[in-house]
Every structure is written in structure tokens, then in C-alpha cells.
Amino acid sequence: MWQPGRVRRWLCLLLILFACTSQVDTGVPAGSDDVATGDLSPLRIASGPELETRVLAHTVQRLLELAGQPTRIVVFGDGRDARQAMELGDVDVQAGYTGETWLETLGRADPPGDPRASFVAVRDHDEPEDLVWLRPRFGDGSLDQPPANATFAFVVQGAAGPGADLRTLSDLARRLSEQPDALVCVDREFGTRVDGLRAVLEAYSVRSDRAFLAADPEEAVRGVAAGDCLAGLTTTTDGAAWGAGLRPLVDDLRVFPAFVPLPQIRAEVIEERPTVRVALGPMAAQLTTALLGSANARVTAGEPVEQVADELARELLVLARRTLPEDVEG
């Protein structure tokens, strides 16, 4: 998934979590036509320019097309513009992030780390606005269980290496306590702020004055892969990290805010075309962090986003057929 602008922006959003300040990009939407033929008007799907938002938008598109719905992707400069287009009815569907909506729409600087709490808050806020979030299936919080959580993460080597036996941030905390000289690669601003790395380390009972290696997320991935750092800070679904065989550690204390990507649909579209909700259900219920990270890795390596999204959509459909629907309301 490696997109420097996106990850740096999310690092800024994380600092908002502690510092109660807001920082967002601006951009001008640009259209991209990909219209299926038929009597129905094409459903307009919002997408951002970042690799991951493109993967998600094209996955939404394939799920809808496989259900017989014509579609058109509309590209926006950032999430704020896409959100505004949803509110104004200029687009019909998007894959939104719960944590981003919490920060930028609800205007709150304390997005929860619990995916369920994050979902319920944005769902309840947007329901009166006639914007419907599809409910995810809540698993055990592991990378292979839904929902996907594209939040911040420390990644470690996934095969033979100094961090190969680590699974959670609590595991990393114990290792750092045992090995005071072990380095972590962290964005410089995040690493030097009291409300950044220090706050995360204190939450996991690690000495907060330990040294770190200054590195942006791309450099952090390279540093961990080369063995220069025991762990590096990026996002859970970073395609470059997944492509390098690195593995994000589970934030078992849920310090980082949840960024659950979910289909969001205008209520009038659901009323007019109930098939849309059914078609996108597998994405909400089956998408995992591992599936999204692996898809991002393929596109990062040069595979066409359309091909990757098509295969991801079909895999989600297969998984949905194997899974009984849940009866518990979110």
C-alpha cells in the first residue's frame, strides 16, 4: 500500500488523538469514467487518489458489477471532499474509514481503539444524515479475522528474524524491556513528541526515554526488513510492508484508533436498489486486515488495481458463502 502522503497524514491524525489539533489535505475531485451499460443509471463510487482507497473503491465496483449494477468511479483529492460529495448526493457509495470519520466529521479527537465502538459511533451519527454504514462482522481482533483495521502499527520481520516470534505490542514491550539497545524506526515528529511515541510506550509500560531511529514509514519498512530496527511504525495494511514479508503486531491494548474501512451508502440508494446493500455485504462482513494488506502489496508490486480488486471481490463472495450471518446487532 505504500503511499507516503497518506501515511504521513494518518500520523498527523494520530497526533490529533493526543494533541486535539486538526490537519487535513485539500484537493479538487476529478472524474474517471468506467460505466457499465444497462437501463439503470450508473452508481457513482467515491475514491481517493491513494493506493488503498483505489483498491477499496474498485472492490466496491466489482462487487456491484457482479450483482448486475452499472458503476462509475469518481476520484477526489482527499477523504473530506469524498465525504462532502456523499452528503450532497454527488456520489452514491464510498468505502469510508470509521476513525477518519470520527476525527474529521464528528470533530472529536478521541477515536476509540475498539472497532465496534468506532463503528457504532459513526453509524449512529450518520443515520439521521441518510448515510448508511454496513455493519462488519466482529472477530477476535487478529489479522485474519474481520473487520479490517487499517490503523497504525509496528511491523516486524515475519520470517526468521529478531522479531519473528512477536505477535502483539505487549510482546514487543517485553522485548524492548529485555533489550534496552533494541531500536524502533519511528517518524521523527511522532518519536519526539511527548504525546506521540512516548505515550504509546507508557501505555505498554516501556521506558519512554529510549532511543529510536528516525524514519518515515517507507524508511521504517526498509529498516525492519534490513534488520536495522526490531520494529517500525507504519500502518497495518501497508502494501510495501506486506510485500516485504513484514507482519503488523496486534495492538492488544487498543492504543491506536480504529480505522475500519466499510461500505457507506446513501439511504435513498438502498431504498431504490436493495441489491446494493446485499452486494456490498461481503465486503463489510469478510474483509480482514490480512486480505487488504495482501491486496495492497500486489498493487504496490505493479499489478493492475482492477485485477487485484476483481480477485479480492470474488474471494469475499466465497468467504461470505461459507459464513453464517450473525444475529447480533452492532
Side-chain angles (χ1 to χ4, degrees), residues 195-219:
D195 51 8
L197 177 64
R198 184 175 300 180
V200 175
L201 294 177
E202 287 179 349
Y204 280 92
S205 301
V206 180
R207 285 188 56 178
S208 57
D209 60 349
R210 65 179 302 112
F212 68 94
L213 187 61
D216 65 27
E218 184 176 20
E219 294 168 337

Side-chain angles (χ1 to χ4, degrees), residues 244-322:
L246 307 185
R247 178 172 32 80
L249 298 176
V250 174
D251 178 18
D252 47 316
L253 296 185
R254 292 178 170 171
V255 174
F256 292 127
F259 278 80
V260 181
L262 292 169
Q264 187 183 30
I265 312 167
R266 288 187 55 80
E268 63 189 37
V269 174
I270 294 177
E271 293 174 4
E272 295 170 359
R273 307 187 197 183
T275 303
V276 171
R277 182 169 195 154
V278 177
L280 297 182
M283 183 175 177
Q286 304 300 332
L287 186 63
T288 67
T289 301
L291 282 174
L292 183 54
S294 298
N296 290 337
R298 293 175 57 189
V299 178
T300 299
E303 293 188 49
V305 64
E306 296 84 358
Q307 175 182 328
V308 173
D310 175 70
E311 294 180 17
L312 177 57
R314 294 177 187 276
E315 185 170 1
L316 293 173
L317 288 170
V318 170
L319 291 171
R321 295 188 188 105
R322 296 175 181 170

